[in-house]
């Protein structure tokens, strides 16, 4: 009997300990989740000189690390200091120095990962960060294939990256503590050209830097960007940005150093789980991701995504973006077609399409061309954008796309190769939609067919 009681007590104790252990784990996990980006970097930097200005690089090309994780050449840093001093002195915007474009051409970012450096789990985090950037923007992080300029995920002291493209293989350094998705997303953000949100030139309207809580020697980490380096592109300040540091960045007395003027965001800054809506919006703007889309007015803060659909914010920081619901507000109260809608299909996407078509909007409205294809009888517009001919590449190489005489033929047969397509339809030389039947009947097209036939025989 006694033995049975001891057994039960032991069992209960074991169960209790097990439950406590689980609770403790959950608690620790919750605490880890709540760390701000700068706190994680601070820990990762523990064994290195996170407060030092001059960090590394060869003597001919010394590199400075500022704001914990931004690498900048010493020359550039000095230039920036001069600009800021002058701006402060004169109160004028600096325009003289044209900062080189640090954008990646065609939004392609070749990358490599130093072998034998990351565990399987860490590689998963890197790949998830890459997937996030590639999914939400038109940036294309893809394995390096001989390109001179690329990013390299590697080990390093702390977490760090240059801002924008440098022109050779540039490091995204990830010490052990940095190998989590949101930190990697942040460092990749620098590599494509993002600065820290709290360094924005307009930040004083959104945060107050409590300098009394920051030691003087590290105050340089709170400098605002000079106006000539501003790349906000109309995107409002974003407390939820993955590029925003937390409330106690560089605090040595535990007090707040970055105070949000909107108090609702005091505990939100620095805790982004990944790209925010405005991060995505900014990257899309920086790299002109909707460059080939028709002009559209998206509702509210919405923007046109790379798929030419309006993107709107959600309330879920883990899934911050969605296709806008409904249509953009029309500027008129009459029954005119809306100026945008989030879909593309070869049928009517609005119940009023036939009515609008009857009113003659097919000829004048881009909306109608995209969303009322059935009523406007342009259902095959997308198909007309394909090459119909066999030798388009060769003809293009010989300049046939740009020779007026052959233009009709090339439009009918090699529209894609010649780049004559726009928004799923063909355009005539004057920009108006084109009818394929009339093209094929044209004399120049027939002549061209003969030329191609002769060329094939030869
Ligand atoms: Zn950073």
């Amino acid at each position: 009997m006694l033995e049975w009681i001891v057994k039960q007590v032991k069992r209960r104790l074991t169960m209790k300990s097990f439950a406590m252990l689980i609770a403790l784990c959950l608690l620790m996990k919750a605490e880890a989740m709540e760390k701000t980006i700068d706190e994680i970097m601070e820990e990762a930097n523990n064994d290195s000189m996170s407060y030092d200005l001059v960090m590394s690089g060869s003597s001919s090309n010394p590199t400075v690390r500022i704001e914990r994780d931004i690498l900048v050449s010493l020359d550039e840093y000095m230039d920036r200091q001069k600009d800021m001093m002058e701006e402060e002195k004169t109160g004028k915007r600096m325009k003289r120095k044209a900062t080189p474009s640090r954008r990646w051409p065609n939004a392609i970012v070749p990358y490599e990962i130093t072998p034998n450096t990351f565990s399987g789990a860490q590689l998963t985090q890197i790949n998830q960060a890459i997937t996030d950037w590639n999914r939400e923007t038109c940036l294309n992080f893809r394995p390096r294939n001989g390109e001179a300029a690329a990013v390299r995920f590697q080990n390093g002291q702390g977490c760090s990256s240059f801002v924008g493209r440098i022109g050779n293989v540039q490091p995204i350094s990830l010490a052990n503590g940095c190998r989590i998705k949101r930190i990697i997303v942040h460092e990749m953000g620098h590599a494509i050209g993002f600065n820290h949100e709290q360094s924005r030139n307009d930040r004083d309207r959104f945060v107050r830097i409590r300098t009394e809580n920051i030691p003087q020697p590290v105050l340089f980490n709170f400098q605002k960007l000079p106006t000539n380096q501003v790349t906000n592109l109309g995107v409002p300040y974003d407390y939820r940005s993955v590029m925003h540091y937390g409330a106690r960045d560089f605090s040595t007395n535990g007090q707040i150093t970055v105070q949000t003027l909107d108090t609702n965001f005091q505990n939100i800054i620095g805790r982004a789980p990944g790209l925010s809506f405005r991060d995505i919006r900014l990257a899309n703007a920086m790299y002109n991701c909707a460059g080939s889309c028709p002009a559209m007015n998206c509702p509210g803060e919405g923007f046109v995504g790379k798929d030419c659909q309006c993107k709107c914010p959600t309330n879920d920081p883990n899934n911050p973006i969605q296709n806008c619901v409904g249509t953009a507000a029309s500027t008129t109260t009459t029954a005119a077609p809306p100026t945008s809608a989030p879909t593309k299909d070869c049928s009517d996407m609005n119940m009023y399409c036939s009515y609008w078509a009857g009113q003659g909007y097919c000829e004048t409205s881009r909306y109608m061309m995209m969303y009322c294809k059935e009523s406007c009888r342009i259902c095959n517009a997308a198909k007309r954008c394909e090459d119909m001919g066999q030798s388009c590449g060769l003809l293009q190489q010989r300049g046939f796309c740009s020779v007026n005489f052959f233009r009709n033929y090339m439009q009918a047969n090699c529209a894609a190769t010649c780049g004559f397509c726009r928004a799923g339809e063909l355009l005539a030389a004057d920009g108006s939609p084109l009818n394929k039947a009339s093209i094929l009947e044209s004399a120049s097209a027939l002549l061209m067919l003969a030329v191609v036939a002769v060329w094939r025989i030869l």
Side-chain angles (χ1 to χ4, degrees):
M1 182 64 186
L2 187 70
E3 203 176 298
W4 183 84
I5 291 171
V6 170
K7 219 180 201 175
Q8 288 301 310
V9 169
K10 266 191 182 169
R11 199 173 134 226
R12 283 187 176 210
L13 269 178
T14 316
M15 281 175 71
K16 206 175 170 186
S17 329
F18 186 63
M20 277 175 73
L21 194 69
I22 287 186
L24 195 69
C25 285
L26 285 173
L27 202 71
M28 281 168 69
K29 197 181 174 214
E31 198 180 306
M33 291 282 284
E34 278 178 10
K35 275 196 183 127
T36 60
I37 281 170
D38 50 292
E39 283 166 351
I40 294 170
M41 287 179 185
E42 172 75 12
E43 281 184 20
N45 274 349
N46 247 352
D47 56 345
S48 66
M49 302 172 290
S50 66
Y51 286 6
D52 276 8
L53 192 62
V54 177
M55 178 198 171
S56 61
S58 62
S59 54
S60 61
N61 188 21
T63 306
V64 166
R65 184 169 62 190
I66 55 172
E67 300 172 26
R68 296 192 186 281
D69 71 332
I70 288 180
L71 303 180
V72 54
S73 81
L74 185 60
D75 290 344
E76 201 182 319
Y77 183 74
M78 296 312 287
D79 279 351
R80 200 191 289 186
Q81 297 302 310
K82 276 185 235 160
D83 282 356
M84 280 191 292
M85 274 157 62
E86 214 158 309
E87 256 187 41
E88 259 172 45
K89 209 166 66 184
T90 61
K92 281 185 192 159
R93 287 173 160 226
M94 292 300 305
K95 278 182 183 166
R96 68 175 163 82
K97 188 165 63 76
T99 29
S101 170
R102 294 275 165 81
R103 307 270 160 87
W104 294 82
N106 303 317
I108 294 167
V109 189
Y111 73 86
E112 57 187 42
I113 301 175
T114 312
N116 308 319
T117 306
F118 302 98
S119 70
Q122 291 166 348
L123 285 173
T124 301
Q125 298 288 308
I126 293 175
N127 284 321
Q128 281 177 356
I130 289 171
T131 303
D132 281 6
W133 275 108
N134 286 355
R135 185 182 58 235
E136 308 296 2
T137 73
C138 57
L139 280 152
N140 181 7
F141 283 87
R142 67 179 193 202
R144 184 182 178 206
N145 185 19
E147 295 93 343
V151 296
R152 179 191 287 145
F153 296 96
Q154 61 178 45
N155 191 19
Q157 291 186 320
C159 330
S160 65
S161 171
F162 284 91
V163 173
R165 177 182 182 272
I166 301 304
N168 46 32
V169 180
Q170 61 190 83
I172 290 183
S173 291
L174 303 169
N176 234 324
C178 315
R179 298 168 184 178
I180 45 180
K181 192 192 86 174
R182 62 187 178 127
I183 300 291
I184 303 166
V185 166
H186 176 107
E187 297 307 335
M188 290 168 77
H190 286 314
I192 65 130
F194 279 11
N195 281 288
H196 287 138
E197 197 70 6
Q198 74 276 3
S199 304
R200 277 175 61 137
N201 200 266
D202 60 351
R203 64 111 187 270
D204 292 336
R205 299 200 340 248
F206 303 92
V207 293
R208 190 181 142 211
I209 304 301
R210 301 285 299 264
T211 50
E212 68 272 26
N213 297 326
I214 305 165
Q216 217 281 329
V218 295
L219 256 182
F220 65 85
N221 290 293
F222 291 91
Q223 284 177 332
K224 282 186 286 188
L225 279 172
T227 45
N228 62 356
Q229 294 202 8
V230 170
T231 49
N232 303 332
L233 302 175
V235 179
Y237 193 88
D238 185 14
Y239 292 119
R240 298 184 191 278
S241 172
V242 77
M243 306 312 289
H244 207 306
Y245 278 170
R248 293 179 171 76
D249 186 29
F250 285 108
S251 174
T252 48
N253 59 9
Q255 299 297 305
I256 282 174
T257 56
V258 183
Q259 182 178 14
T260 60
L261 297 189
D262 183 337
T263 52
N264 291 323
F265 290 97
Q266 192 61 65
N267 290 318
I268 286 185
I269 55 169
R271 298 185 202 279
L275 292 170
S276 70
F277 174 78
R278 287 178 185 170
D279 290 333
I280 297 169
R281 185 178 150 192
L282 179 59
N284 273 269
M286 277 174 91
Y287 285 89
N288 194 23
C289 293
S292 55
C293 300
M296 292 164 78
N297 292 321
C298 297
E301 223 194 289
F303 67 94
V304 183
K306 63 179 172 180
D307 58 356
C308 299
Q309 301 199 30
C310 280
K311 304 293 173 186
C312 281
T314 71
N315 290 322
D316 177 6
N318 289 300
N319 192 14
I321 191 164
Q322 63 183 350
N323 286 338
C324 299
V325 180
T327 54
S330 177
T331 48
T332 60
T333 49
T334 58
T339 48
S340 75
T343 181
K344 45 181 174 183
D345 197 306
C346 207
S347 56
D348 285 348
M349 302 308 293
N350 189 304
M351 62 187 287
Y352 296 113
C353 280
S354 63
Y355 170 76
W356 289 328
Q359 298 290 308
Y361 282 112
C362 289
E363 280 76 44
T364 56
S365 167
R366 274 209 166 273
Y367 177 93
M368 296 294 286
M369 288 181 200
M370 292 196 74
Y371 303 113
C372 297
K373 288 178 178 170
E374 200 176 331
S375 288
C376 292
R377 296 178 189 170
I378 48 176
C379 250
N380 291 322
K383 283 179 190 157
R384 278 195 271 140
C385 241
E386 293 171 3
D387 283 348
M388 302 292 183
Q390 300 288 316
S391 315
C392 292
L394 186 99
L395 294 172
Q396 185 214 25
Q397 278 172 23
R398 304 202 168 176
F400 284 22
C401 293
S402 53
V403 177
N404 257 348
F405 189 69
F406 299 127
R407 182 161 169 120
N408 280 352
Y409 174 86
M410 295 302 279
Q411 262 177 334
N413 291 276
C414 301
T417 296
C418 290
F420 291 148
C421 308
R422 204 167 73 198
E425 60 172 345
L426 277 177
L427 296 173
D430 62 357
S432 62
L434 218 57
N435 180 316
K436 189 182 174 189
S438 69
I439 302 160
L440 285 173
E441 284 162 10
S442 73
S444 64
L446 290 172
L447 179 66
M448 190 57 222
L449 283 169
V451 170
V452 173
V454 169
W455 175 78
R456 279 207 189 130
I457 292 164
L458 294 173

